[in-house]
Amino acid sequence: MSKEALRLDISDTIRYYLSADGKTAQHFGIDKYGELLESDDFAILSNEGGLKSGAPIKTDHFALILCIRGHSQKTVGPYTFEVVPGSIHIVSPRDFHSFGNASDDLLLYMVLFRKEFVASTFIKENILETLLEQPGEHAPIYHLDKREFAAIRGLFEKIEKEYRQAHPFYLQMVRLLVVELLYEVNRSHEKAQLLPTRPVGRKSQLVAAFKKLVEEHFLTMHAVNQYAEMLHVSAKHLSEQVKQETGENALTIIHKRLFLEAQYLLGTAQYSVKEVADKLNFDTSSHFSRFFKHFAGVNPSEFNRVAN
């Protein structure tokens, strides 16, 4: 299959998550209902007027998202976590992401930028790579103390002010402030790495290895016994350990990852139901449709119409 699934640019990402219920007053960042800039390398905004949930997407840009108040659930790659006040999370172009269960009072400050936007600063390429591509062993969310939250919120507000006022050299200033923001986030990452953690038992290690394998092979491996063979344990043992550690069946974890990918592929408007079934290695389109309806409550063709 030669087609590539769609990666949304910044303008498309903003439009994708805007609610259709009418315009909402904007108190922070750009006017999402106005004309978006053609350069599409950077935007600063809030979630005001956004949806309460969104199907998985992939983007061509990074996002730094600071939670001011409220809460929601976020999935980034293989990780699902709670977004709460005083936390900041990162979305990379390498990861699909989605969100749901947003509270009515949820307020997020967001900086969206492509790598090229900050690459034109004085910062060296290898340092930039280190700042942007943080290790993937843990969920990409950090819970900030009062000092960290005040510093990072202050940077968001300073970026917003520079961008809105558009004085001479404002884009250069914004680029430097985004780099400073990345350094602050990396400070939080380094601090989190130093915190004591409980010893990781064999069960936790096995389950973590299983989840990593699912992320790597879910397109072609749909059965628990395939993963058990790679982990050199029995399917029964693997299933028991996963159930004890996560509360979910091992097969459910595989199926949830398939379902998220199916939502993403259908939501791009580039794939037919048959093409998605083929890409996910289902034997027939009808088998895929039954699988999808079990999770979504609607057939993939109906979901496709709603998503697009």
Side-chain angles (χ1 to χ4, degrees):
M1 190 176 298
S2 60
K3 284 194 289 188
E4 292 292 331
L6 182 66
R7 286 183 180 269
L8 302 185
D9 63 22
I10 289 176
S11 297
D12 289 334
T13 300
I14 294 169
R15 294 188 183 100
Y16 189 84
Y17 283 129
L18 274 182
S19 172
D21 294 336
K23 293 185 178 181
T24 299
Q26 306 288 288
H27 299 97
F28 182 86
I30 67 171
D31 176 10
K32 298 188 288 290
Y33 304 102
E35 184 176 349
L36 298 173
L37 295 179
E38 290 300 320
S39 63
D40 205 33
D41 278 342
F42 171 85
I44 184 162
L45 64 157
S46 74
N47 66 311
E48 295 167 305
L51 298 173
K52 299 297 182 184
S53 63
I57 61 171
K58 286 184 181 178
T59 65
D60 70 353
H61 53 273
F62 291 87
L64 295 172
I65 304 171
L66 180 69
C67 183
I68 306 299
R69 66 168 186 265
H71 59 87
S72 68
Q73 188 178 74
K74 188 72 175 273
T75 295
V76 178
Y79 302 105
T80 297
F81 50 87
E82 290 296 319
V83 175
V84 296
S87 68
I88 188 167
H89 66 276
I90 306 167
V91 178
S92 165
R94 70 174 178 233
D95 297 318
F96 78 89
H97 54 103
S98 63
F99 70 97
N101 301 322
S103 62
D104 291 336
D105 64 338
L106 181 66
L107 178 60
L108 305 172
Y109 288 175
M110 298 181 279
V111 166
L112 313 181
F113 64 95
R114 298 179 69 230
K115 180 181 175 182
E116 291 78 4
F117 181 75
V118 289
S120 58
T121 63
F122 64 89
I123 194 166
K124 293 182 179 178
E125 177 75 13
N126 63 324
I127 297 176
L128 180 61
E129 290 291 340
T130 301
L131 290 174
L132 291 175
E133 298 294 341
Q134 300 187 18
E137 292 85 5
H138 306 285
I141 183 169
Y142 306 108
H143 299 278
L144 311 172
D145 62 27
K146 288 183 179 180
R147 185 213 68 81
E148 292 167 331
F149 179 73
I152 288 176
R153 181 172 184 170
L155 281 171
F156 270 87
E157 291 170 349
K158 197 170 180 180
I159 291 168
E160 192 261 356
K161 184 178 179 181
E162 280 285 348
Y163 195 72
R164 178 166 39 83
Q165 291 181 341
H167 291 318
F169 310 113
Y170 78 100
L171 278 179
Q172 290 90 329
M173 290 295 297
V174 167
R175 287 187 179 97
L176 294 176
L177 288 167
V178 171
V179 171
E180 185 177 351
L181 181 58
L182 287 169
Y183 271 109
E184 284 288 352
V185 171
N186 273 261
R187 276 182 174 174
S188 298
H189 170 73
E190 292 300 321
K191 178 183 173 183
Q193 294 295 100
L194 294 174
L195 291 175
T197 57
R198 62 181 178 86
V200 179
R202 294 180 65 182
K203 177 169 62 178
S204 297
Q205 290 177 331
L206 176 65
V207 173
F210 166 68
K211 287 184 174 180
K212 186 172 185 291
L213 287 175
V214 170
E215 188 65 22
E216 294 171 355
H217 301 288
F218 71 92
L219 288 175
T220 56
M221 292 168 50
H222 298 178
V224 175
N225 69 292
Q226 293 173 293
Y227 294 95
E229 285 181 14
M230 294 184 73
L231 293 166
H232 308 292
V233 297
S234 70
K236 182 175 183 293
H237 178 72
L238 178 60
S239 298
E240 289 173 348
Q241 298 296 293
V242 170
K243 181 69 173 179
Q244 291 174 18
E245 183 77 4
T246 69
E248 292 186 312
N249 295 319
L251 187 61
T252 299
I253 290 175
I254 300 168
H255 284 178
K256 280 188 173 181
R257 184 61 184 89
L258 277 167
F259 175 62
L260 284 172
E261 194 74 13
Q263 285 181 290
Y264 163 56
L265 294 173
L266 289 168
T268 65
Q270 291 196 359
Y271 291 103
S272 68
V273 172
K274 184 182 185 307
E275 286 173 323
V276 174
D278 290 342
K279 190 169 181 64
L280 298 182
N281 283 287
F282 281 83
D283 48 2
T284 64
S285 295
S286 59
H287 181 196
F288 167 66
S289 294
R290 290 194 301 272
F291 165 85
F292 190 89
K293 188 172 183 178
H294 172 74
F295 281 94
V298 296
N299 291 319
S301 56
E302 295 172 310
F303 175 87
N304 201 325
R305 287 196 300 271
V306 171
N308 300 302

